[in-house]
């Protein structure tokens, strides 16, 4: 162990720390390189985008419930080109829809789950003083920020924001009015941000683990972030390439995704030039190519949305059941397998594109295979609850709700993964219901749980429990009222992305009233978030002050002071044991932290 | 490892040799192109030569001939996904229901 | 506060942070160019005919020679540092920079010849993919030049204070540079010859 002297050379030097306190306002709060502050920047920006995405959706829900009726109160604010007389135009509805999806996925959930929680918690949990590349970490946040600004700016530009869904399928996306170009540029920033972040996370995990923290002693959250980072690192570049190609179609008149001889409004269109160039010597483009490149990212992306949530939930469950996680190894292996498989299922989003039966069979098989590790993970988490005397803290409530909600989301995915049933369900509200169950009462609940759980670490104060419980129960009821009816609507054949909610079709008449119910429920959901917002800001100042380990938890982040100083730990943390040593027989307390030295 | 000066001094000659053979292979590719093989053979030849050149750059200049296991691991994963990316979209686009829609040389714009 | 293993290697992985970082970055680059190659294949398979002889093969071959030579000078720039020959290092790095610049000048001539006849990326799917791939590759060359300029200029100071770290940085620059070369080794036959 002669290396131990050089291990973390300057982890603990109070004097050095002190020198760093003098960084000044800009370097401390704006262009900080401290992973904790960057994490908080990410998390707060992500939460704000979630709120903004939610508001866009509220406008859409009004239109769906009461098609053609002027938006009350604020309807006049949108101007003639978006909502004349307060009545939403179809183009505006499409802008809202496209930006809702984009914002929620790429600017809300992922930045909060990976950028926020990953940045704040991961280095602490592996006992590192910071990320491996602090400056790249800062650049990653600012690339994200610029991406966000670009996307927001597009609303105010001629033609308004992008209108072709978060999936941006050509040829529509290329010929539509609206700032698709800004969407593509914004995505470039967001992709750059993710790439910088993910290589940082991987390097940090491999290189900066504390002494004694072997791979099988890593908290499950770290594993989840680690696998997620690989997905981001290797799946995003193809979308970046696709974005470049679509940008060329938009601005350079190429037709990568534009078939030759496409006729729109009685005119032959090749890309933006709008008129056939007469030069198709090498053939036209292929719109399906975009779908392949897009889903090559976007299927792994849905695991980017869910895996960090599973990580958070595992931490909370282990802590509040006071038991080790059930089947830690199975969890880890399933996670890695899931990550790998997520790269070869993507075309289950494309069963309706005229794909032949051989490839359909291939993709539905891989999709069924990938659901196995998901079920293993869910089962292991459920088994962890068996026989436990559970502490029903606020974070635990969110974690507990995650399990059945993710269960519903995952199980409803199976009929979608099988080509025969997907032909009926594709592009209906059933799909919307499916993925919202995974992402909203699934991932976002887990993220809320994570905020309640790590808030004391970040601020030294606990969030209020009563407000937390109100937030939880209200949200749980409301969110199910929003999303469950979507299955009913979808099975009745209501299509997604219809600006009148399907009112023009006779066959969906019988389920239209659900749109009104969902409208009310969405309002309720929004109102219950006020409990969270108030709680969050109030607790920063007046929350109950706590010491470094208020939850009596076992992982390394609880060895650092709350909030941890720049450089994190006062003495070099060493991991002596597995991550979840709760209720060890014969131990004095019901938890034996990883960082507690062995007693002879 | 390459890090001590003596070892580096030794590998300098290797770097130059590899540089020269890369140039030779470039000449071969260009020459092979002059022979006008039928397309499938031309593609095979050109890709094989490019692969040889590529692996020389990777293994010598980029020191991949003796790297650490983490780097091999990451690259192996990348290569697997790279192969998926090259093959699966192609297979899927080739496999269509009914007759594939192929671009026909355009007769005239606007009918 | 110092981050461990920025210069020295972590015993159990045998790696310094930057080494793993740059390789992961290159892995993502493989997927980026991979998607473009995949695009190329799919467009070509779907095309009724594919143009031949539209590009200037001699110029392309010269550029290949230039990039390969620059890879040699780049690896020599690093080797000279390891052998503690600062003067040679500067020379080799400068040579790499100049070769890169010559490459871009050639590319400029090629591009302008196309534009002069009105055959930009909009002309055909072949030229579209040609301009996109070589354009992106050219941007990578430019990026590499910026990094080299930094190490020829202000970045060189590090050699005085922390020679090991400086040598590492040159090594990482080299890895990136060889990768850019490697991409060209595939681009040249695929676009110019086939
Ligand atoms: C666990 C097993 C899962 C299976 C078998 C599954 C299957 C599918 C399938 C086949 C579709 C395409 C449906 C269609 O468009 O016709 C789909 C859509 C979707 N899924 Fe899943 N999924 C699963 C889990 C998840 C998870 C964990 C997430 C996210 C956290 C997710 C998010 C989405 C999204 C966002 C879409 C809609 C994409 C769009 O068209 O805009 N899914 N799912
Ligand atoms: Cu999917």
């Amino acid at each position: 162990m002669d290396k131990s002297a050089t291990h973390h050379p300057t982890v603990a030097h109070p004097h050095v720390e002190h020198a760093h306190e003098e960084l000044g306002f800009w370097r401390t709060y704006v262009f900080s390189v401290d992973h904790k502050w960057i994490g908080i920047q990410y998390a707060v920006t992500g939460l704000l985008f979630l709120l903004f995405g939610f508001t866009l959706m509220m406008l859409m829900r009004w239109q769906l419930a009461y098609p053609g009726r002027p938006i009350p109160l604020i309807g006049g604010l949108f101007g003639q080109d978006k909502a004349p007389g307060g009545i939403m135009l179809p183009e505006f509805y499409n802008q809202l829809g496209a930006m809702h999806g984009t914002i929620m996925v790429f600017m809300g959930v992922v930045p909060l789950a990976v950028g926020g929680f990953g940045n704040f918690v991961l280095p602490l949990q592996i006992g590192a003083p910071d990320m491996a590349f602090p400056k790249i970490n800062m650049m990653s946040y600012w690339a994200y920020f610029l991406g966000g600004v670009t996307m927001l700016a597009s609303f105010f530009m001629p033609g308004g924001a992008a209108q072709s869904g978060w999936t941006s399928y050509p040829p529509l996306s290329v010929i539509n009015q609206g700032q698709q170009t800004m969407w593509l540029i914004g995505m470039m920033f967001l992709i750059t941000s993710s790439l910088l972040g993910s290589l940082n996370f991987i390097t940090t995990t491999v290189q900066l683990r504390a002494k004694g923290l072997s791979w099988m002693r890593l908290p499950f959250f770290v594993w989840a972030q680690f696998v997620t980072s690989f997905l981001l690192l290797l799946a995003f570049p193809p979308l970046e390439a696709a974005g470049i190609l679509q940008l060329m179609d938009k601005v350079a008149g190429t037709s990568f995704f534009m078939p030759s001889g496409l006729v729109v409004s009685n005119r032959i269109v090749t890309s933006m030039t709008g008129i056939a160039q007469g030069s198709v010597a090498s053939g036209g483009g292929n719109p399906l190519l975009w779908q392949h490149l897009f889903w090559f990212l976007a299927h792994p992306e849905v695991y980017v949305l869910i895996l960090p949530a599973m990580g958070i939930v595992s931490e909370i469950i282990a802590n509040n059941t006071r038991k080790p996680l059930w089947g830690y190894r199975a969890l880890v292996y399933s996670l890695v397998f899931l990550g790998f498989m997520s790269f070869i299922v993507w075309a289950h989003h494309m069963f309706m594109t005229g794909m032949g039966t051989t490839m359909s069979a291939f993709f539905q098989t891989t999709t069924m295979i990938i659901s196995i590790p998901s079920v293993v993970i869910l089962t292991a988490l459920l088994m962890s609850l068996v026989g436990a005397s559970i502490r029903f803290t606020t974070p635990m409530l969110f974690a507990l709700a995650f399990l059945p909600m993710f269960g519903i989301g995952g199980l409803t995915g199976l009929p979608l993964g099988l080509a025969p049933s997907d032909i009926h369900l594709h592009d209906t509200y059933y799909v919307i219901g499916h993925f919202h169950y995974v992402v909203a009462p699934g991932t976002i609940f887990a993220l809320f749980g994570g905020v309640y759980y790590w808030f004391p670490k970040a601020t030294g104060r606990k969030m209020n429990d009563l407000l937390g419980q109100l937030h939880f129960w209200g949200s749980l009821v409301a969110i199910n009222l929003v999303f469950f009816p979507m299955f009913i609507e979808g099975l009745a054949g209501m299509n997604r992305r219809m600006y009148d909610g399907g009112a023009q079709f006779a066959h969906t008449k019988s389920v239209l009233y659900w749109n009104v119910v969902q409208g009310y429920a969405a309002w309720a959901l929004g109102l219950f978030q006020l409990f969270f917002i108030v709680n969050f800001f109030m607790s920063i100042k007046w929350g109950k002050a706590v010491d470094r380990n208020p939850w009596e938890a076992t992982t390394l982040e609880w060895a650092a002071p709350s909030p941890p100083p720049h450089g994190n730990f006062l003495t070099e943390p060493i991991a002596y044991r597995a991550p979840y040593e709760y209720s060890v027989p014969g131990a004095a307390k019901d938890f034996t932290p990883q960082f507690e030295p062995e007693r002879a | 490892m390459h890090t001590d000066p003596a070892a580096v001094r030794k590998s300098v000659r290797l770097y130059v040799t590899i540089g020269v053979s890369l140039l030779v292979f470039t000449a071969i590719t260009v020459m092979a192109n002059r022979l006008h093989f039928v397309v499938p053979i031309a593609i095979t030849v050109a890709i094989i030569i490019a692969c040889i050149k590529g692996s020389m750059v990777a293994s010598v200049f980029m020191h991949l001939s003796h790297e650490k296991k983490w780097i091999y691991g990451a690259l192996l994963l990348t290569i697997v996904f790279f192969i998926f990316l090259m093959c699966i979209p192609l297979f899927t686009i080739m496999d269509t229901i009914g007759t594939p829609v192929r671009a026909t040389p355009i007769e005239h714009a606007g009918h | 506060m110092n981050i461990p293993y920025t210069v020295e290697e972590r015993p159990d992985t045998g790696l310094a942070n930057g080494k793993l970082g740059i390789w992961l970055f290159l892995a993502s680059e493989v997927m980026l160019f991979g998607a473009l190659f995949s695009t190329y294949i799919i467009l070509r398979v779907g095309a009724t005919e594919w143009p031949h002889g539209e590009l200037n093969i001699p110029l392309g071959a010269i550029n290949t020679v230039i990039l390969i030579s620059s890879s040699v000078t780049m690896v020599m720039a690093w080797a000279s540092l390891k052998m503690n020959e600062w003067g040679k290092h500067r020379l080799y790095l400068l040579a790499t920079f100049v070769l890169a610049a010559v490459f871009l000048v050639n590319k400029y001539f090629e591009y302008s010849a196309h534009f002069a006849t009105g055959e930009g990326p909009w002309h055909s799917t072949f030229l579209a993919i040609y301009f996109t791939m070589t354009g992106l590759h050219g941007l990578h060359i430019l990026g590499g030049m910026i990094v080299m300029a930094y190490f020829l200029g202000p970045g060189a100071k590090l050699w005085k204070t922390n020679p090991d770290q400086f040598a590492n940085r040159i090594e990482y620059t080299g890895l990136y540079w060889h990768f850019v070369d490697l991409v060209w080794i595939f681009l040249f036959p695929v676009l110019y010859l086939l």
Side-chain angles (χ1 to χ4, degrees):
Chain A
M1 281 279 113
D2 53 337
K3 295 284 185 210
S4 59
T6 58
H7 199 83
H8 279 175
T10 47
V11 166
H13 283 298
H15 313 289
V16 183
E17 296 315 330
H18 196 70
H20 278 272
E21 302 293 340
E22 326 284 333
L23 278 177
F25 174 79
W26 286 94
R27 303 245 335 256
T28 317
Y29 294 113
V30 183
F31 297 107
S32 169
V33 292
D34 183 331
H35 75 97
K36 297 180 295 297
W37 188 251
I38 296 176
I40 291 171
Q41 285 178 315
Y42 255 119
V44 170
T45 321
L47 281 167
L48 287 175
F49 271 121
L50 282 180
L51 188 64
F52 182 66
F54 183 81
T55 348
L56 298 186
M57 187 276 287
M58 288 304 289
L59 292 173
M60 294 163 72
R61 286 250 64 103
W62 173 267
Q63 167 69 14
L64 292 171
Y66 316 106
R69 237 195 271 170
I71 306 163
L73 298 177
I74 54 167
L77 298 178
F78 298 107
Q80 284 309 108
D81 60 335
K82 292 191 164 67
I87 300 173
M88 188 181 289
L89 289 177
E91 289 78 12
F92 186 41
Y93 180 86
N94 287 347
Q95 290 175 32
L96 293 173
M99 296 313 282
H100 165 74
T102 307
I103 287 173
M104 286 306 206
V105 172
F106 296 113
M107 292 145 73
V109 174
V110 174
L112 178 55
V114 181
F117 284 105
N119 254 313
F120 188 91
V121 178
L122 182 133
L124 285 169
Q125 276 196 336
I126 62 172
D130 205 310
M131 293 288 255
F133 310 113
K135 285 200 194 99
I136 290 185
N137 204 15
M138 177 185 82
M139 277 155 60
S140 155
Y141 172 75
W142 286 103
Y144 159 57
F145 188 83
L146 283 178
V149 171
T150 312
M151 293 284 188
L152 288 184
S154 69
F155 273 106
F156 303 100
M157 295 174 66
Q163 298 181 5
S164 310
W166 79 290
T167 49
S168 283
Y169 280 7
L172 259 189
S173 58
V174 178
I175 59 180
N176 255 358
Q177 301 300 310
Q179 294 294 340
Q180 184 67 20
T181 309
M182 289 295 274
W183 188 89
L184 292 165
I185 295 172
M187 284 306 292
M188 297 292 158
F189 282 121
L190 297 176
I191 293 170
T192 309
S193 158
S194 280
L195 291 177
L196 295 178
S198 57
L199 66 87
N200 213 344
F201 278 47
I202 298 173
T203 310
T204 306
T205 314
V206 174
Q207 291 285 100
L208 302 188
R209 276 167 296 121
K211 223 178 345 154
L213 198 59
S214 59
W215 287 94
M216 281 301 146
R217 285 182 180 177
L218 283 183
F220 190 64
F221 176 83
V222 175
W223 269 111
Q225 292 284 344
F226 186 66
V227 173
T228 302
S229 297
F230 271 102
L231 301 187
L232 287 172
L233 184 78
L234 299 177
F236 248 136
L239 182 66
E240 189 174 14
I244 292 170
L245 298 175
Q246 198 178 99
L247 205 57
M248 294 288 284
D249 276 4
K250 279 301 275 190
V251 301
T254 59
S255 38
F256 286 111
F257 302 128
M258 305 293 284
S260 50
L262 178 71
V263 178
V264 178
S265 312
N266 288 326
R267 286 209 309 172
I268 296 193
V269 181
T270 65
S271 184
M272 79 153 224
T273 36
I275 317 145
Q277 297 276 346
S279 59
V280 280
S282 48
N286 190 337
L288 287 187
L289 175 61
W290 166 270
Q291 298 191 20
H292 280 291
L293 296 179
F294 179 83
W295 288 113
F296 188 90
L297 159 85
H299 187 83
E301 177 79 7
V302 308
Y303 288 93
V304 171
L305 297 172
I306 199 73
L307 297 184
M310 290 173 167
I312 293 171
V313 166
S314 312
E315 297 301 309
I316 299 176
I317 286 187
N319 177 253
N320 287 288
T321 52
R322 317 306 288 167
K323 273 170 32 146
L325 282 182
W326 194 88
Y328 172 84
R329 268 170 194 274
L331 278 169
V332 171
Y333 296 147
S334 303
L335 180 75
V336 173
F337 182 63
L338 196 72
F340 180 84
M341 287 300 291
S342 73
F343 278 85
I344 42 174
V345 299
W346 78 82
H348 62 209
H349 297 270
M350 299 169 59
F351 286 138
M352 290 290 277
T353 57
M355 193 197 303
T357 44
T358 317
M359 290 316 285
S360 288
F362 172 76
F363 283 112
Q364 67 184 4
T365 312
T366 52
T367 306
M368 291 306 114
I369 292 174
I370 201 176
S371 59
I372 296 171
S374 316
V375 172
V376 171
I377 291 177
L378 193 60
T379 312
L381 292 179
L382 282 170
M383 290 300 289
S384 302
L385 303 177
V386 174
S389 57
I390 298 174
R391 299 195 308 204
F392 289 96
T393 58
T394 311
M396 186 59 173
L397 291 178
F398 279 98
L400 284 175
F402 170 89
L403 301 176
M405 295 295 111
F406 171 71
I408 296 179
L411 288 177
T412 52
L414 295 178
L416 296 175
L418 295 164
S421 38
D422 184 57
I423 288 171
H424 178 60
L425 297 169
H426 178 68
D427 245 341
T428 67
Y429 264 89
Y430 181 91
V431 175
I432 310 285
H434 151 67
F435 70 78
H436 278 93
Y437 258 96
V438 210
V439 192
T443 298
I444 293 184
F445 266 34
L447 296 177
F448 276 132
V451 173
Y452 286 104
Y453 184 64
W454 280 299
F455 191 89
K457 183 56 32 186
T459 62
R461 289 170 190 282
K462 247 182 174 168
M463 287 176 79
N464 181 293
D465 236 358
L466 178 66
L467 290 176
Q469 306 251 348
L470 285 170
H471 174 217
F472 169 75
W473 288 108
S475 301
L476 182 69
V477 173
I479 209 164
N480 277 289
L481 280 175
V482 175
F483 293 123
F484 201 84
M486 290 187 179
F487 293 126
I488 303 169
E489 292 175 330
L491 287 167
M494 184 189 286
N495 277 91
R496 63 191 285 203
R497 296 185 178 167
M498 305 292 284
Y499 102 107
D500 60 359
Q504 60 192 294
F505 292 116
H507 69 275
T508 49
K509 282 273 173 327
S510 60
V511 290
L512 277 186
Y513 66 96
W514 282 114
N515 282 339
V516 182
V517 176
Q518 286 167 296
Y520 282 109
W523 266 108
L525 182 59
L527 289 177
F528 279 110
Q529 304 318 301
L530 292 179
F531 289 108
F532 175 75
I533 297 173
V534 170
N535 196 352
F536 189 87
F537 288 107
M538 220 178 62
S539 304
I540 292 178
K541 237 182 142 63
W542 297 295
K544 182 165 155 261
V546 291
D547 68 348
R548 56 180 65 182
N549 193 359
W551 305 112
E552 306 187 311
T554 51
T555 41
L556 286 185
E557 76 267 35
W558 306 105
S562 311
H566 196 50
N568 292 347
F569 296 93
L570 300 183
T571 53
E572 182 188 328
I574 299 175
Y576 295 96
R577 56 181 64 76
Y580 307 111
E581 299 281 294
Y582 288 103
S583 310
V584 179
K589 309 168 282 173
D590 73 344
F591 67 110
T592 323
Q594 274 189 300
F595 46 86
E596 197 168 276
E598 220 76 61
R599 298 239 170 72
Chain B
M1 259 305 281
H2 267 276
T3 32
D4 65 302
V8 173
R9 206 173 294 277
K10 250 186 243 149
S11 40
V12 164
R13 274 195 49 199
L14 177 66
Y15 295 150
V16 177
T17 323
I18 291 291
V20 172
S21 25
L22 283 171
L23 296 180
V24 172
F25 273 110
T26 309
I28 296 179
T29 332
V30 176
M31 249 118 73
N33 188 54
R34 288 281 182 76
L35 294 179
H36 294 293
F37 292 123
V38 285
V39 173
I41 297 184
I43 292 183
T44 320
V45 171
I47 295 296
I48 288 178
I49 297 181
C51 285
I52 296 175
K53 287 165 76 178
S55 49
M56 289 199 295
V57 172
S59 58
V60 178
F61 289 164
M62 302 172 89
H63 310 310
L64 269 190
S65 54
H66 45 267
E67 248 320 337
K68 296 297 178 307
K69 68 173 194 299
W70 269 100
I71 288 175
Y72 285 136
L75 289 181
L76 193 71
L77 194 67
T78 312
I79 288 169
V80 172
F81 291 152
F82 178 85
I83 293 171
F84 291 160
L85 181 61
M86 292 311 232
C87 301
I88 300 181
L90 184 65
F91 293 161
T92 313
I93 282 175
M94 304 283 276
D95 180 28
T96 48
I97 299 173
T99 30
V101 188
R102 295 192 114 245
T104 42
I106 199 157
E107 298 115 55
H108 212 279
H111 262 275
Chain C
M1 179 202 58
N2 286 335
I3 308 292
Y5 313 121
T6 33
V7 185
E8 77 280 24
E9 288 156 2
R10 181 176 162 115
D12 59 350
T13 61
L15 292 169
N17 297 343
K19 184 74 157 284
L20 185 58
I22 189 77
W23 271 110
L24 291 171
F25 173 69
L26 293 183
S28 84
E29 295 276 280
V30 168
M31 297 305 282
L32 176 68
F33 282 100
L36 292 178
F37 277 108
S38 188
T39 301
Y40 170 90
I41 297 174
I42 284 168
L43 289 179
R44 181 158 181 177
V45 166
T48 36
E49 46 179 316
W50 197 250
H52 283 273
E54 293 215 349
L55 302 180
N56 188 335
I57 296 181
L59 217 46
I62 291 175
N63 259 353
T64 313
V65 171
I66 290 174
L67 267 199
I68 289 175
S69 317
S70 80
S71 249
V72 178
T73 53
M74 186 73 229
V75 77
M76 292 304 293
W78 169 77
S80 323
L81 278 185
K82 284 287 168 191
M83 297 184 288
N84 221 346
E85 293 164 343
W86 178 246
K88 276 194 181 171
H89 158 76
R90 304 282 292 175
L91 221 58
Y92 280 124
L93 193 61
L94 189 67
T96 317
F97 182 85
V98 171
L99 286 169
V102 176
F103 178 93
L104 285 186
V105 170
N106 273 345
K107 211 72 228 148
Y108 168 77
F109 284 128
E110 279 190 83
Y111 276 13
S112 40
H114 278 289
F115 282 114
T117 54
E119 301 191 345
W122 56 84
H123 183 72
S124 68
T125 14
F126 169 69
L127 283 181
I129 192 83
Y130 162 75
F131 274 105
T132 310
M133 291 182 97
T134 55
L136 193 66
H137 179 261
L139 284 179
H140 278 78
I141 300 266
L142 200 65
M145 286 174 69
I146 293 172
V147 174
M148 283 181 235
Y150 173 73
F151 287 125
L152 284 167
K157 282 201 295 274
L158 186 66
W159 175 251
K160 296 266 182 315
T161 50
N162 196 341
D164 283 338
Q165 188 166 18
F166 185 76
N168 280 353
R169 288 189 174 175
I170 293 296
E171 184 186 2
Y172 307 151
T173 315
L175 286 173
Y176 169 78
W177 193 251
H178 301 312
F179 174 79
V180 175
D181 181 22
L182 207 148
V183 171
W184 183 259
I185 286 178
F186 283 90
L187 278 182
F188 172 62
V190 164
L191 293 175
Y192 285 75
L193 302 179
L194 299 178

